[in-house]
Amino acid sequence: MKKLLMLSLITVFGLAGCGSNEETASSGGGSAEDDTLTIGISLPSATHGWMGALIDSAEKQAQALKESDGIEYVMTNAADPNKQANDVDDLIAQDVDVIVMLPIESAALTPVGQKIKDAGIPLVIVDRELENDAATVVVKGDNEGIGVNAGKYFIEQLQGKGKIVEISGPPSSVTEQRGSGFKEAVDGQEGMEIIASQSGDFSTEKSLEVMQNILQANPQIDAVFTQDDGMALGVLQAIKEAGRTDIKFVTGAGGAKEVFEDMKNDGLMKATFLYSPTMVEDAVKIAADIAQGEEPAEPMVVKEATQVTKENVDEYYDPESKF
């Protein structure tokens, strides 16, 4: 009798255990996690105001999509191309559904883009392009347009004659396109000469240092073309500290609040060309659509390089802006 009772209990507990295992598998923490979509976001570190605002915009947009659509995200930031390459390797290993990447340097991150493509993961590139076709979609500002429009502004303001300094960015498609656009515009003007061109690495501090050296080496400068508003602020500081009065104006790119304020106060900053960090919001939205199975509407999204001067600065100035 005792043996029969023991066998019955073993059978009952055994069946209960089987039922419990089946319930776990079907309700499945595991399968639910497998169905969760994840966006990997690989960005540079915030070395200047524009990048800081872009990182903030990316996180806000990703968080909004998490709350509205349940799409998870993993965000990484890197100070150099090697770290960014390692970050992307980690994202690939995590089997994310799509990657948004702003390459620190175009050439250095091109093989990384190919690795993403070979892994079968869609790639949305922001701002700086790669040197291959690894990207599914590219979201950027009109970099060549920034250079061309700045060149036209220089010709108009200097009446085709002047000694110009160029402060460029680090090696990337952005730097190349802005620089080539500017040179294309001014090359036809025999009276205009670029007497110095150096990289400020999209850094206010580095641009201050670079411009100090350029000022010491060049007793006459008519105007300064900078490829970024953050760099322009460093240039303005260098000019102010040197007490130079020969420089007629400085231009930038981006749309920074401090640059707009200098314009409003009749400072040396006379023009900038919009290149909003909020472009990353478009990139994250596109990535979410791709992760959900939608085909992108177009492979290239280009934001207009609107010229901002004192005449129209109030349309774009936001005293609450973080950039």
Side-chain angles (χ1 to χ4, degrees):
M1 186 71 179
K2 286 181 181 178
K3 286 183 179 179
L4 183 58
L5 180 59
M6 288 295 293
L7 286 169
S8 298
L9 288 171
I10 290 168
T11 303
V12 169
F13 283 119
L15 288 171
C18 290
S20 174
N21 288 341
E22 286 171 7
E23 185 178 349
T24 301
S26 60
S27 66
S31 60
E33 287 175 4
D34 289 343
D35 290 340
T36 301
L37 298 174
T38 303
I39 300 172
I41 304 174
S42 171
L43 304 175
S45 300
T47 54
H48 60 301
W50 188 89
M51 192 63 72
L54 182 136
I55 292 169
D56 186 57
S57 294
E59 185 131 38
K60 284 181 178 176
Q61 184 58 60
Q63 186 62 37
L65 285 165
K66 180 177 180 178
E67 293 170 3
S68 63
D69 295 16
I71 300 175
E72 297 290 336
Y73 67 94
V74 180
M75 181 176 289
T76 66
N77 301 101
D80 59 72
N82 288 335
K83 172 65 164 59
Q84 187 169 30
N86 290 334
D87 288 345
V88 171
D89 283 342
D90 289 342
L91 293 174
I92 293 172
Q94 291 177 55
D95 197 26
V96 297
D97 295 281
V98 59
I99 290 176
V100 175
M101 180 170 70
L102 195 165
I104 292 176
E105 293 181 7
S106 297
L109 274 299
T110 291
V112 175
Q114 187 61 47
K115 186 181 290 188
I116 295 169
K117 184 177 181 179
D118 291 344
I121 300 174
L123 173 61
V124 180
I125 286 292
V126 186
D127 182 31
R128 305 169 195 174
E129 297 173 73
L130 301 176
E131 296 180 351
N132 58 10
D133 62 352
T136 308
V137 178
V138 174
V139 179
K140 65 172 190 171
D142 184 2
N143 289 301
E144 187 171 354
I146 284 173
V148 170
N149 292 347
K152 290 178 179 177
Y153 182 83
F154 272 65
I155 293 168
E156 177 186 323
Q157 297 300 314
L158 297 175
Q159 298 181 339
K161 294 181 180 180
K163 296 180 184 294
I164 302 164
V165 166
E166 177 187 38
I167 306 297
S168 64
S172 68
S173 63
V174 170
T175 296
E176 193 280 324
Q177 290 167 6
R178 291 182 187 180
S180 63
F182 184 77
K183 290 178 179 66
E184 175 189 323
V186 302
D187 270 353
Q189 305 294 316
E190 292 183 6
M192 297 183 73
E193 179 188 4
I194 300 175
I195 58 172
S197 179
Q198 291 189 38
S199 174
D201 287 341
F202 288 157
S203 161
T204 300
E205 294 76 16
K206 178 66 180 295
S207 299
L208 167 61
E209 178 186 331
V210 165
M211 192 63 196
Q212 286 173 333
N213 294 333
I214 291 174
L215 288 169
Q216 290 174 6
N218 297 276
Q220 176 61 42
I221 298 170
D222 291 295
V224 183
F225 164 58
T226 76
Q227 294 187 3
D228 166 75
D229 280 352
M231 296 196 301
L233 294 173
V235 167
L236 291 174
Q237 185 178 341
I239 295 169
K240 182 179 179 181
E241 290 177 358
R244 292 284 288 265
T245 58
D246 51 316
I247 299 167
K248 300 175 178 65
F249 63 87
V250 177
T251 67
K257 178 170 67 175
E258 288 182 69
V259 162
F260 289 158
E261 288 170 349
D262 192 75
M263 286 182 191
K264 289 165 71 71
N265 294 325
D266 290 320
L268 268 183
M269 201 73 201
K270 299 301 184 186
T272 191
F273 303 87
L274 292 186
Y275 197 82
S276 175
T278 60
M279 69 174 68
V280 76
E281 295 176 8
D282 292 341
V284 174
K285 288 177 187 174
I286 290 168
D289 290 342
I290 292 172
Q292 294 176 99
E294 294 184 29
E295 288 291 324
E298 50 192 346
M300 182 82 69
V301 178
V302 181
K303 300 293 192 177
E304 186 177 354
T306 304
Q307 178 175 297
V308 182
T309 62
K310 187 177 181 181
E311 284 66 37
N312 65 344
V313 67
D314 288 332
E315 296 177 36
Y316 303 99
Y317 176 64
D318 176 7
E320 303 302 319
S321 173
K322 289 186 176 181
F323 170 59

